[in-house]
Amino acid sequence: MALIGFKNTHNQEIYVNPAQILYLMPFEEGVTIITFAAAGSSGQPHAVYVRGHVDQVRQKIGTG
């Protein structure tokens, strides 16, 4: 399991497991939403907002 590091919108380093990603989608210029297979407290899939264009994020995790 290789974790990949990203900066979130609060400029904190976070690490994601690419095997747990459901989908990626653009949020705004330079910000991408990563949604995971794990549910959050509301029962919805957990999502994080990371810095980078969606194409950059896809390339970094190796899906694009």
Side-chain angles (χ1 to χ4, degrees), residues 20-23 33-48:
Q20 297 294 322
I21 295 174
L22 284 178
Y23 61 87
I33 301 171
I34 301 176
T35 304
F36 298 96
S41 60
S42 65
Q44 299 295 321
H46 182 73
V48 294

Side-chain angles (χ1 to χ4, degrees), residues 10-58:
H10 298 289
N11 230 19
Q12 299 168 324
E13 190 75 21
I14 62 167
Y15 296 91
V16 300
N17 179 355
Q20 297 294 322
I21 295 174
L22 284 178
Y23 61 87
L24 305 171
M25 62 184 252
F27 177 66
E28 59 186 29
E29 185 67 34
V31 178
T32 298
I33 301 171
I34 301 176
T35 304
F36 298 96
S41 60
S42 65
Q44 299 295 321
H46 182 73
V48 294
Y49 296 75
V50 298
R51 296 191 183 276
H53 189 272
V54 70
D55 293 330
Q56 294 170 323
V57 174
R58 280 188 182 119

